[in-house]
Amino acid sequence: MSKATRTDTRSPAPHGADSHDLIRVLGARENNLKDVSIDIPKRRLTVFTGVSGSGKSSLVFNTIAAESQRLINETYSSFVQGFMPTLARPEVDVLEGLTTAIIVDQQRMGSDPRSTVGTATDANAMLRILFSRLGKPHIGPPSAYAFNVPSVRASGAITVERGAKNVVKATFNRTGGMCVRCEGRGTVSDLDLTQLYDDSKSLNEGAITIPGYGSDGWSMRLYKESGFVDPDKPIRKYTKKELQDFLHHEPTRMKIAGINMTYEGLIPRIQKSMLSKDKEAMQPHIRAFVDRAVTFTTCPECDGTRLSEGARASKIKRISIADACAMQISDLAEWIRGLDEPSVAPLLTALQRTLDSFVEIGLGYLALDRTAGTLSGGEAQRVKMIRHLGSSLTDVTYVFDEPTAGLHPHDIQRMNDLLLRLRDKGNTVLVVEHKPETIAIADHVVDLGPGAGTGGGSVCFEGTVEELRAGDTVTGRHFDDRASVKKTWREPTGTLEIRGASANNLRDVDVDVPLGVLVVVTGVAGSGKSSLVHGSIPAGEGVVSIDQAPIRGSRRSNPATYTGLLDPIRKAFARANDVKPALFSANSEGACPTCNGAGVIYMDLAMMAGVATTCEDCEGKRFDASVLEYHLAGRDISEVLAMSVDEAEAFFGDGEAHTPAAQRVLGRLADVGLGYLTLGQPLTTLSGGERQRLKLATHMADKGGVYVLDEPTTGLHLADVEQLLGLLDRLVDSGKSVIVVEHHQAVMAHADWIIDLGPGAGHDGGRVVFEGTPADLVAGRPTLTGEHLAAYVGG
């Protein structure tokens, strides 16, 4: 029987599967969300906007994306789930129509020195395979070119049980590419012994000056009672053997005061306990010690390449893998394009595609050997995008957190094109964004607010960009705001001379930075702005540097503890009640004994997400009931920590609770626009913009004459930028010099002086292409920045 052919041309009835074209959220209550219910169209580009702290991330990341990931994890067996992070179900009544969510956030990459741009993507792995196939001389498999793999050689006898026991002679060889001297880090550390101990003193006189080595501590007792050295003899009088035992002795088990302990030399002990850890995660006093005591220099053995001699000697067309990784990626892409070797053609094609993606996304100025921890938040986010650009997956939900962060206006159009390309492949694209250039390309806009913190958490608007413009929301009213170039400028009080700056891609830059005014350093991403500012004006005496490094804090940390505000508050309570200040700390004596001051009790449910329930004894207040009987001006400590910054400023302003030290800190928090935050709100619930402004408020107390800020508008709504400019003006008017690395045109227009770097990125940048007032930049339009600023102000 022949195959039936269809002759009718009527359109078929709609299939039931095609009706699922919405992501439906009902009753979302994460963080500050107030029972939010919303329908988000699938296979469209939806932008979520609203003032910083209005609930955008709570809805997009903590509700929609988090539940999608949790449901995917539940499809694996319980055995596999045991190895995965356990995710709690978000506070939401109904979530329907979810698809697989891929989160591309701005979390900085790990700061391990062995993590590079090449290892964070697949580029380094593909290069290693390429060199193992084509490199001359041939030195081994791909692992021989890996600086994360040490060479291992071992031989011996192993017992194999196959019915009867057989002893088998075995040798094991693995060729790795790790430099033996620096262990693949590229740098070696030298310790300044004068920072470790005072050699004019004995151990009993407190010779060791390392944090944690107090006279009564176990670390000090270990050295005093070990028997290897005389605790009463000054260190400078030690014999050669005593000094060797004190500084370099190998680990040895012994009993000290009846307790089994391990004695080892001071230097290996410090290297294990301090130098092997992430410096950013250290307590401030330990970090300050490490900065003083340790100097990092380029490894003399591998010249900073991290690779063994064999890996550096193997070459393709006179280029080693170290040379390839040190090239600017745009140049490396051209070199790969020139290789013609049929035996590895599929590998070359894949590597070419990956490198071209870097260039396309505006990261062609990076090199594969760049340490991942040195990337800015925006660069890290774009590196994470690389693997998704060529993906064949469709009907996926991509979630972006301010993808334009760190991008010059010239580069924003390129990012917009990529977002539209992802959408046009049939994906749902959800973007949290403040820049009007990106909001303008949205198919659907969701505006949250109307305010921040407890004043936000509601959906103020849903619809098209045109409807947003006409709407009466904060975003709608400010959407077409354009700053005008200042007509008058402050006169500088002096100059900071930078001569011969050559960090990273800078080309012996000579520039005079005026002091006593607002200076904005601009240029396309990768032009050398941060290299110039942070490399030539290091934080230190008289310089307060506020970068984009994230605030690290546990769920016990809050604005009161982070800013030091809790200290004067505790002392005020202690004075009023004639008790110890430690009682008023939930991390110390005043903690509720049931929940240990956490306010919640965590139930571990094995491979399922743990459940946090409010502590029944303290009802989430975190303090012991006896502590809450002490009052200051009629309020207990838990009530004070539940106040907003604005309420607390009034409370501590006068009357019985008058505390000038607390008022000063609260005033700075209000100055940076954080008046709505509650004092006891966990840092883990703050948005990126809130965390950066919290850091700014904390540093405003530092005694510095020069403030260096790195993109302070990141995470700020259009309405908040005006408040930031007012703060910068107040800093300058109080006699400070403010230097800002920034792409936001409103900040450029407000500057007294602009230094523009470029003209391009990487080796195409690194030069000063303009110095002068914003008005001169707009009038002459000599650079890309000038063209975009002129278009912005309507010049």
Side-chain angles (χ1 to χ4, degrees):
M1 184 175 164
S2 64
K3 199 177 191 180
T5 55
R6 184 169 172 162
T7 54
D8 64 271
T9 56
R10 286 175 300 170
S11 60
H15 197 289
D18 294 332
S19 63
H20 300 283
D21 53 3
L22 291 173
I23 295 173
R24 183 163 284 122
V25 182
L26 293 176
R29 295 179 298 280
E30 275 294 309
N31 298 330
N32 66 333
L33 295 179
K34 296 172 180 170
D35 266 329
V36 166
S37 298
I38 188 172
D39 290 344
I40 300 165
K42 285 187 184 175
R43 294 174 286 280
R44 296 291 183 271
L45 173 61
T46 301
V47 172
F48 294 79
T49 186
V51 296
S52 178
S54 60
K56 305 180 296 297
S57 295
S58 300
L59 176 60
V60 179
F61 289 95
N62 302 354
T63 304
I64 298 170
E67 179 65 354
S68 170
Q69 293 211 315
R70 188 185 73 84
L71 293 173
I72 290 166
N73 286 4
E74 285 193 352
T75 63
Y76 297 108
S77 69
S78 56
F79 173 76
V80 174
Q81 285 183 53
F83 296 98
M84 302 173 83
T86 52
L87 303 166
R89 189 183 187 281
E91 278 283 309
V92 61
D93 294 334
V94 179
L95 266 175
E96 292 178 345
L98 291 177
T99 66
T100 304
I102 294 174
I103 299 172
V104 189
D105 60 19
Q106 281 195 48
Q107 290 294 320
R108 302 288 276 268
M109 294 188 173
S111 53
D112 189 305
R114 293 200 196 101
S115 177
T116 65
V117 170
T119 59
T121 57
D122 294 329
N124 201 274
M126 289 189 276
L127 265 181
R128 295 200 303 265
I129 298 169
L130 182 68
F131 273 85
S132 72
R133 300 289 189 276
L134 304 182
K136 297 284 193 309
H138 176 73
I139 60 165
S143 64
Y145 297 89
F147 53 76
N148 289 327
V149 181
S151 291
V152 179
R153 288 178 184 80
S155 61
I158 57 171
T159 304
V160 181
E161 291 189 27
R162 292 198 191 99
K165 288 185 179 179
N166 295 317
V167 177
V168 180
K169 285 269 188 182
T171 59
F172 174 75
N173 282 308
R174 181 180 65 191
T175 305
M178 179 186 286
C179 168
V180 179
R181 173 78 187 273
C182 65
E183 297 185 337
R185 289 186 172 86
T187 57
V188 288
S189 57
D190 288 324
L191 280 167
D192 180 356
L193 297 182
T194 61
Q195 298 293 334
L196 307 188
Y197 57 81
D198 180 349
D199 68 354
S200 67
K201 293 180 179 177
S202 68
L203 293 182
N204 278 332
E205 291 170 333
I208 301 179
T209 55
I210 302 164
Y213 284 72
S215 56
D216 300 326
W218 275 107
S219 295
M220 193 58 127
R221 285 189 69 179
L222 182 66
Y223 287 95
K224 285 181 188 176
E225 301 177 27
S226 64
F228 286 109
V229 292
D230 181 350
D232 292 313
K233 187 197 284 189
I235 292 176
R236 65 171 56 153
K237 292 187 177 175
Y238 281 5
T239 64
K240 203 168 182 180
K241 183 178 186 314
E242 281 178 320
L243 196 61
Q244 175 69 19
D245 286 342
F246 176 54
L247 292 179
H248 302 288
H249 200 285
E250 68 276 0
T252 306
R253 297 289 289 169
M254 58 170 53
K255 266 199 171 151
I256 303 280
I259 296 172
N260 287 324
M261 296 184 74
T262 300
Y263 176 90
E264 65 181 326
L266 190 63
I267 288 176
R269 190 179 178 86
I270 294 170
Q271 284 173 328
K272 286 176 189 168
S273 64
M274 294 184 187
L275 304 189
S276 61
K277 294 182 179 172
D278 174 12
K279 203 165 87 168
E280 288 301 314
M282 293 176 179
Q283 292 172 286
H285 67 291
I286 295 178
R287 193 184 317 154
F289 161 74
V290 171
D291 285 337
R292 282 196 318 272
V294 185
T295 54
F296 291 94
T297 53
T298 301
C299 174
E301 192 96 355
C302 66
D303 200 23
T305 62
R306 306 179 172 95
L307 290 161
S308 64
E309 190 179 350
R312 300 197 307 274
S314 180
K315 298 185 177 182
I316 302 171
K317 290 188 174 180
R318 297 197 296 280
I319 296 288
S320 70
I321 191 167
D323 299 330
C325 289
M327 278 186 195
Q328 189 165 301
I329 288 174
S330 55
D331 295 339
L332 180 59
E334 287 304 312
W335 182 72
I336 293 291
R337 202 171 274 117
L339 296 179
D340 183 20
E341 183 57 52
S343 63
V344 289
L347 177 65
L348 287 172
T349 304
L351 180 55
Q352 188 69 59
R353 191 183 305 124
T354 300
L355 297 174
D356 286 343
S357 295
F358 273 101
V359 178
E360 183 182 7
I361 210 164
L363 293 177
Y365 60 86
L366 294 178
L368 294 182
D369 65 0
R370 169 91 173 259
T371 307
T374 63
L375 298 178
S376 69
E379 286 171 333
Q381 184 178 35
R382 283 178 282 152
V383 165
K384 292 173 196 170
M385 279 183 76
I386 298 288
R387 63 180 67 251
H388 305 303
L389 292 180
S391 172
S392 302
L393 290 173
T394 61
D395 254 334
V396 169
T397 299
Y398 284 97
V399 186
F400 291 95
D401 184 13
E402 279 195 78
T404 61
L407 286 184
H408 187 272
H410 174 68
D411 300 316
I412 289 177
Q413 185 55 49
R414 185 186 282 168
M415 178 59 70
N416 285 351
D417 292 342
L418 291 171
L419 294 174
L420 293 171
R421 230 173 70 197
L422 285 172
R423 177 203 66 184
D424 293 344
K425 281 170 62 177
N427 298 306
T428 305
V429 181
L430 309 181
V431 182
V432 172
E433 188 53 85
H434 294 294
K435 294 274 175 68
E437 298 97 320
T438 298
I439 299 172
I441 65 165
D443 301 307
H444 189 69
V445 179
V446 177
D447 192 19
L448 283 103
T454 52
S458 303
V459 174
C460 302
F461 169 84
E462 288 181 78
T464 63
V465 178
E466 287 69 30
E467 290 165 344
L468 174 72
R469 272 194 166 104
D472 189 31
T473 67
V474 176
T475 307
R477 289 196 298 273
H478 287 273
F479 192 83
D480 292 311
D481 277 5
R482 294 295 180 265
S484 55
V485 173
K486 285 203 299 197
K487 299 286 188 290
T488 58
W489 306 279
R490 301 177 183 93
E491 285 299 319
T493 56
T495 56
L496 176 69
E497 291 186 359
I498 296 175
R499 295 291 178 266
S502 55
N504 299 327
N505 66 330
L506 295 178
R507 302 189 177 190
D508 279 332
V509 170
D510 295 338
V511 65
D512 291 336
V513 181
L515 297 175
V517 297
L518 175 59
V519 178
V520 174
V521 182
T522 64
V524 296
S527 60
K529 303 180 299 298
S530 294
S531 301
L532 178 68
V533 172
H534 295 302
S536 307
I537 316 171
E541 198 63 41
V543 177
V544 178
S545 185
I546 305 166
D547 59 17
Q548 288 190 39
I551 288 176
R552 294 174 185 270
S554 68
R555 49 181 166 244
R556 286 176 177 274
S557 304
N558 53 49
T561 58
Y562 182 78
T563 58
L565 172 64
L566 195 58
D567 288 338
I569 291 177
R570 286 200 317 238
K571 286 172 184 169
F573 266 93
R575 269 196 312 274
N577 296 282
D578 199 23
V579 291
K580 288 192 297 186
L583 276 178
F584 303 99
S585 169
N587 297 329
S588 186
E589 291 181 31
C592 164
T594 309
C595 63
N596 292 324
V600 291
I601 293 173
Y602 293 94
M603 301 275 292
D604 183 14
L605 302 179
M607 85 285 295
M608 294 176 69
V611 176
T613 54
T614 303
C615 174
E616 291 180 1
D617 284 6
C618 69
E619 297 177 337
K621 292 178 179 176
R622 303 175 61 199
F623 291 90
D624 191 356
S626 62
V627 175
L628 300 181
E629 291 172 11
Y630 298 115
H631 289 81
L632 175 67
R635 302 287 186 102
D636 65 42
I637 185 69
S638 70
E639 289 173 325
V640 169
L641 290 176
M643 289 179 181
S644 70
V645 168
D646 289 338
E647 288 175 284
E649 196 175 7
F651 178 73
F652 289 107
D654 49 26
E656 187 191 336
H658 181 58
T659 312
Q663 245 201 316
R664 283 194 293 273
V665 179
L666 290 163
R668 290 194 292 270
L669 287 168
D671 265 354
V672 296
L674 294 177
Y676 60 88
L677 280 190
T678 54
L679 305 186
Q681 183 176 340
L683 286 190
T684 49
T685 64
L686 300 189
S687 69
E690 288 169 333
R691 290 185 193 197
Q692 186 160 19
R693 283 183 287 160
L694 183 62
K695 188 192 287 191
L696 177 59
T698 307
H699 282 293
M700 278 171 65
D702 295 353
K703 289 179 169 52
V706 179
Y707 279 71
V708 177
L709 284 75
D710 197 347
E711 293 189 56
T713 60
T714 301
L716 284 190
H717 186 267
L718 298 160
D720 297 324
V721 172
E722 203 171 319
Q723 186 170 10
L724 175 74
L725 293 174
L727 172 65
L728 298 180
D729 276 343
R730 286 199 298 280
L731 278 174
V732 175
D733 293 339
S734 68
K736 311 287 188 190
S737 301
V738 180
I739 302 167
V740 184
V741 175
E742 190 53 83
H743 293 295
H744 202 295
Q745 290 106 318
V747 180
M748 294 180 203
H750 199 73
D752 296 305
W753 193 258
I754 285 182
I755 297 171
D756 195 16
L757 279 95
H763 59 48
D764 296 325
R767 291 190 288 267
V768 173
V769 290
F770 174 82
E771 294 175 77
T773 63
D776 291 341
L777 183 61
V778 167
R781 305 184 197 186
T783 65
L784 277 172
T785 305
E787 289 172 23
H788 285 277
L789 184 57
Y792 176 83
V793 299

